[in-house]
Amino acid sequence: MNTAQVERFVMRFLEAYNCRIIEKTKHAVIVNLSPEADKELTGRSYYWSFVERTGVEPETMTYRFVFDPEGDVAAAAAARPVPAGPRNGPLGGAGPQPGAAEPQPQGAAGPGNASPGGLVAGTAGPGAAAGTVSAAPDAAGGGGQAAGGGTVPAGSSGTPSPQGTPAAGAAGPAASAGAVPGGSAPAAGSGGSPPEAIRSADSILGRYFGTAPAPPVGRVPRDEVTFGSRRLQQLFATALNNGRFTRLFEAPPQAPGSPLPGRSAPLTYCSWMNVNYKVEYACDMKRSEVHSLAIQMTTGEIREEFHPSMLTRKLAPKLPANIHLLGDNLTLSRAASILEDYLEQKIRRTDHRWADRANQVLAEEHQLVRLYYEGMLSAAEPEAREELEIRYAARQAEVDWQYRPRVHVSVINCGLFHLRVDER
């Protein structure tokens, strides 16, 4: 299968399971799985047992299925923005940007700056800019020395009091923006629940077991769906297990010049039972054939190559209006037996020279094994004879399995097709 065929199969699978397509690109698709598809593909049995016990609304998984990994990587690289230049500035810019803080010389004295005995943590004083921080304690652990001779405690800002020591948390005439009365900032988490906590409390686990951590926002699992991948094999197995039987109705013809089906006269429909068989001719080599046989449930007519003819018809799972279904004269079991007998007779009429050649090779291999082990058994000690006989029997069984010709017949899928009687 090529990339286009894999993509077409995956999209048909998602549509059949009523999955919600979020975004479809040339190389991938982002899809929110339906509950049925989530049960089949994610393997979250414990979660779905919890949903069934509690009766809550299920939260299905969202996946990003990639059909063309190389094209997806190339598209992502092309969409990635190119940096404009060096960090913190445009290309070729060497000077400071507008609004950037200029470096302060260590120990510089001036209005609103700490004295040489303190470490400068920012500017403070009358006319301080919004968001500035006052002088920090010096290396000896004491308060920084203000320019006016007052001691300013760490964490305070503004003009020193006449005594030289303002109260803790005092704010100056031009206090920084966002300061609250009293000089203390609100504690972390005291201003209300953050959106993450609200989402966590509204989740299933949050409602039943308390607050649970919210999943990462925007994280969608990426899964490559290419020919031979494990995900595609899982989709094949799911479609094979759940799509072995189908029932479809042929859509009525459309009236001339009208997008709706014509309803001028009732139509007569008959039922066809279609079985797709896989026939394997096996020996030391293997050849497989697919036979699509169908039998009309009213007359018993048998038609070969039925499945290819259905690919050109417009079929729907719902019964159309204004039609008449003919009665069935055959039961399902009787129709299946007739098809099996028909296939058996067809296999008997095929060329079986391959089986004659395989039987000849089988006899030669058995002769070689017999000559090899009979000589060993005749010369073996009594205590080693039993082990040699076991090995001899095992080798004979291996040769028989490898070279003996056989025909395996298995059913791939089947279905009931209700078609118009006038259409052959």
Side-chain angles (χ1 to χ4, degrees):
M1 296 179 67
N2 55 27
T3 303
Q5 292 173 338
V6 171
E7 178 181 358
R8 185 163 57 249
F9 169 77
V10 173
M11 296 305 299
R12 290 181 59 187
F13 181 92
L14 298 177
E15 292 176 1
Y17 272 86
N18 298 321
C19 298
R20 184 170 63 90
I21 306 299
I22 300 177
E23 181 182 355
K24 177 67 174 67
T25 62
K26 183 179 179 181
H27 310 290
V29 60
I30 301 178
V31 58
N32 180 251
L33 301 179
S34 63
E36 294 78 11
D38 193 288
K39 294 177 182 179
E40 294 287 346
L41 302 180
T42 60
R44 301 191 299 166
S45 57
Y46 179 80
Y47 171 77
W48 285 106
S49 63
F50 165 78
V51 172
E52 293 173 359
R53 289 196 308 267
T54 57
V56 298
E57 188 71 19
E59 299 176 4
T60 58
M61 293 286 293
T62 300
Y63 279 96
R64 186 171 185 267
F65 293 138
V66 180
F67 312 114
D68 185 6
E70 296 180 359
D72 185 67
V73 172
R80 188 178 299 115
V82 180
R87 190 176 181 181
N88 297 331
L91 184 63
Q97 299 302 314
E102 296 185 0
Q104 294 289 340
Q106 184 175 1
N113 287 343
S115 65
L119 299 175
V120 178
T123 58
T132 57
V133 186
S134 63
D138 56 10
Q145 186 71 20
T151 302
V152 183
S156 62
S157 63
T159 306
S161 62
Q163 292 78 7
T165 306
S176 61
V180 296
S184 60
S190 61
S193 301
E196 291 80 3
I198 296 176
R199 288 195 300 268
S200 176
D202 289 341
S203 64
I204 294 178
L205 297 179
R207 289 196 297 268
Y208 284 86
F209 300 103
T211 302
V217 179
R219 180 184 178 275
V220 178
R222 180 181 182 273
D223 205 345
E224 295 183 1
V225 185
T226 57
F227 184 70
S229 63
R230 296 184 62 182
R231 180 64 73 181
L232 185 61
Q233 296 297 329
Q234 185 186 28
L235 296 178
F236 284 157
T238 302
L240 182 62
N241 294 332
N242 298 332
R244 286 183 174 273
F245 184 82
T246 185
R247 184 179 185 183
L248 298 175
F249 299 85
E250 185 179 8
Q254 296 180 356
S258 174
L260 299 177
R263 300 183 179 180
S264 57
L267 299 176
T268 303
Y269 277 42
C270 61
S271 301
W272 290 82
M273 179 180 175
N274 171 229
V275 182
N276 295 321
Y277 296 96
K278 182 180 181 181
V279 181
E280 296 177 326
Y281 302 93
C283 54
D284 55 330
M285 295 182 291
K286 181 182 289 187
R287 181 170 61 92
S288 300
E289 296 179 353
V290 176
H291 297 268
S292 181
L293 304 180
I295 181 172
Q296 193 185 70
M297 304 298 289
T298 304
T299 61
E301 176 189 355
I302 296 179
R303 185 185 302 178
E304 297 186 6
E305 301 298 328
F306 186 80
H307 179 72
S309 64
M310 292 298 100
L311 298 178
T312 60
R313 297 175 183 262
K314 187 176 181 181
L315 304 173
K318 295 183 179 180
L319 178 67
N322 200 24
I323 69 170
H324 170 67
L325 282 176
L326 294 178
D328 298 339
N329 296 329
L330 299 175
T331 62
L332 294 179
S333 59
R334 176 58 180 165
S337 300
I338 295 176
L339 291 180
E340 291 176 2
D341 295 339
Y342 182 87
L343 181 61
E344 182 180 357
Q345 295 299 325
K346 184 176 181 179
I347 294 175
R348 291 181 182 275
R349 292 192 300 267
T350 58
D351 187 6
H352 294 291
R353 286 180 294 179
W354 65 273
D356 299 335
R357 183 195 62 83
N359 283 324
Q360 182 179 359
V361 175
L362 176 64
E364 295 175 357
E365 290 294 326
H366 276 305
Q367 180 69 16
L368 291 176
V369 173
R370 183 168 60 254
L371 293 176
Y372 177 77
Y373 278 97
E374 284 182 353
M376 294 180 61
L377 288 172
S378 61
E381 298 293 336
E383 57 272 10
R385 183 180 296 273
E386 182 178 358
E387 181 180 357
L388 283 176
E389 290 178 352
I390 295 176
R391 291 168 53 186
Y392 178 36
R395 181 56 184 158
Q396 290 281 23
E398 291 176 2
V399 171
D400 191 78
W401 173 85
Q402 182 176 3
Y403 293 98
R404 182 173 297 277
R406 55 198 179 274
V407 179
H408 292 293
V409 179
S410 59
V411 176
I412 302 175
N413 49 27
C414 57
L416 278 176
F417 295 86
H418 303 280
L419 310 176
R420 288 181 291 169
V421 175
D422 55 343
E423 291 288 340
R424 304 288 297 179

